Amino acid sequence: MTAARPFFTLRWRAPAGLEILDQRELPRTERYVTLHDARETADAIRSLAIRGAPAIGCAAAYGIALEAALHAGAERPAFDAALERAFAVLAASRPTAVNLFWALDRMRRVLTDHIDTSPTELADALRTEAHRIVEEDVAANVRMGEYGAKLVPDGASVLTHCNAGALATAGHGTALGVVRSAVASGKRVHVYADETRPVLQGARLTAWELRRDGIPVTVLPDGASGHLMRTRRIDLVVVGADRVAANGDVANKIGTYNLAVLAHRHGVPFYVACPRSTFDVGLDDGSAIPIEERSPSEVTGFGSEVWTPANVDVFNPAFDVTPAELVTAIITEDGVIERPDRDRVEAMLAG
Ligand code: MRU
């Protein structure tokens, strides 16, 4: 078997472009597109050309850097006005993944720390900060992977949902980072990937990136996970997260809550792997997490094919909230929060 070509989720293209792997086209086509400003970046986030909480944050940071580069020759008031529009358009792209807002806050801090700086220098500082966010994300995922790998037994069957892999981050992945690190440490792991209706991040993306790494993967319809847990040995479930509230409640791809309930019923450990940038301690619990609702067209058919009766009512939430009591542990880059609750989350984040 010839080794698959390495891929990247996003990368800066000098002097001022953001190259992303267009995930809407995977696994059929591996096509990279270049984004030139904040609006194009926001459109790519909204349309899921780039998706996954940490990757959305990284893309948004670069979206600001792109806009800064475009206006670097302007006077400071015009530069500031252009950047305000960029922050607004990016913040409106998707509501649930807090990494988006976390990254925009980091970029804004660069602006507020450079009140008397020229637009040219500021554009450099903003690009440097975006690079830093990306580098930190990869490093966090690798550390998370090391903590998480210890929880994976040799010969494990691991069930996951959606795509929390290299494609959802700047590299390595969160939930799939745990799998990758376990495999790198010499353990044998078989991944079961929920297909993840309606956008099929599991069937299309998780299966694609694991196959490229030579990690055994079996795709199943979402509705089969209960039967899977009853009839085959599943050692653990590991998923990513889009936002974790102060009490440890976890928002992730729609269907994650179902999986957590099933895991509880079958005595299977349910792990969440996410970086500190996914915690939103400003929210008391998961009920305050904004849940994105997406277009009915994702549910009624695919492309030009429509399989529901015309004008049928559709409910299409992109995320759900799993209560902390169903989470065995949250794996972060700074350690594992066992049986997460308000105090343990606070203690980990303070450390
Ligand atoms: O709608 P998506 O594809 O952006 O949803 C992605 C997820 O729900 C992931 O599990 C989550 O963002 C964690 S990615 C490391």
Side-chain angles (χ1 to χ4, degrees):
M1 194 170 109
T2 50
R5 258 187 314 136
F7 69 92
F8 60 88
T9 305
L10 78 173
R11 97 177 156 197
W12 183 257
R13 226 192 136 102
L18 172 61
E19 218 183 341
I20 62 162
L21 177 53
D22 188 341
Q23 299 190 28
R24 293 168 302 184
E25 305 206 8
L26 288 174
R28 251 176 323 206
T29 313
E30 226 174 288
R31 191 167 72 94
Y32 289 89
V33 291
T34 302
L35 312 173
H36 304 93
D37 58 25
R39 184 163 296 280
E40 286 182 10
T41 307
D43 287 345
I45 293 172
R46 191 175 303 109
S47 67
L48 309 182
I50 185 157
R51 32 68 49 201
I56 291 171
C58 294
Y62 278 136
I64 295 296
L66 286 173
E67 204 68 25
L70 275 178
H71 297 276
E75 297 294 326
R76 184 73 199 252
F79 177 87
D80 284 345
L83 282 204
E84 279 318 312
R85 288 192 296 275
F87 277 107
V89 78
L90 286 160
S93 59
R94 289 190 80 188
T96 303
V98 75
N99 308 60
L100 169 71
F101 306 99
W102 170 88
L104 290 176
D105 283 350
R106 280 218 12 198
M107 298 302 278
R108 184 173 286 287
R109 235 171 290 139
V110 174
L111 271 186
T112 48
D113 286 351
H114 290 78
I115 300 287
D116 297 320
T117 310
S118 74
T120 318
E121 284 171 286
L122 245 178
D124 285 347
L126 287 163
R127 191 182 57 248
T128 302
E129 182 69 351
H131 287 327
R132 210 174 283 138
I133 287 172
V134 165
E135 282 158 21
E136 286 173 14
D137 186 55
V138 178
N141 294 335
V142 170
R143 290 218 305 277
M144 208 182 299
E146 283 161 9
Y147 283 114
K150 299 191 183 109
L151 302 169
V152 180
D154 184 25
S157 288
V158 173
L159 176 57
T160 191
H161 191 69
C162 194
N163 172 267
L167 286 168
T169 63
H172 198 66
T174 58
L176 296 189
V178 167
V179 170
R180 279 199 170 90
S181 296
V183 170
S185 74
K187 292 177 179 166
R188 289 158 304 141
V189 181
H190 188 108
V191 175
Y192 285 90
D194 276 352
E195 65 175 348
T196 317
R197 282 277 302 147
V199 181
L200 304 177
Q201 289 94 333
R204 295 187 303 108
L205 308 177
T206 294
W208 181 79
E209 63 167 274
L210 290 178
R211 287 278 294 260
R212 288 176 75 100
D213 274 10
I215 298 174
V217 56
T218 301
V219 174
L220 60 144
D222 300 333
S225 46
H227 182 68
L228 176 79
M229 286 189 216
R230 247 166 71 121
T231 56
R232 297 193 188 178
R233 199 198 73 234
I234 295 296
D235 296 285
L236 59 112
V237 177
V238 62
V239 296
D242 287 84
R243 202 184 283 230
V244 180
N247 70 339
D249 288 352
V250 173
N252 190 48
K253 179 53 56 191
I254 191 72
T256 301
Y257 174 42
N258 307 31
L259 215 52
V261 172
L262 281 167
H264 183 69
R265 165 95 168 102
H266 291 279
V268 174
F270 184 88
Y271 296 116
V272 174
C274 67
R276 294 171 79 104
S277 53
T278 302
F279 286 79
D280 184 357
V281 291
L283 299 185
D284 218 36
D285 62 45
S287 65
I289 298 176
I291 300 294
E292 176 183 13
E293 289 199 25
R294 294 188 60 87
S295 165
S297 64
E298 289 180 348
V299 177
T300 54
F302 183 75
S304 56
E305 189 178 349
V306 175
W307 47 62
T308 54
N311 302 322
V312 73
D313 277 346
V314 170
F315 178 48
N316 186 21
F319 302 96
D320 60 25
V321 175
T322 298
E325 69 198 64
L326 294 177
V327 177
T328 309
I330 303 178
I331 303 159
T332 78
E333 68 271 46
D334 291 327
V336 176
I337 311 173
E338 307 269 1
R339 288 173 290 107
D341 64 10
R342 200 173 298 281
D343 291 343
R344 295 191 189 99
V345 167
E346 195 183 339
M348 171 62 73
L349 295 181

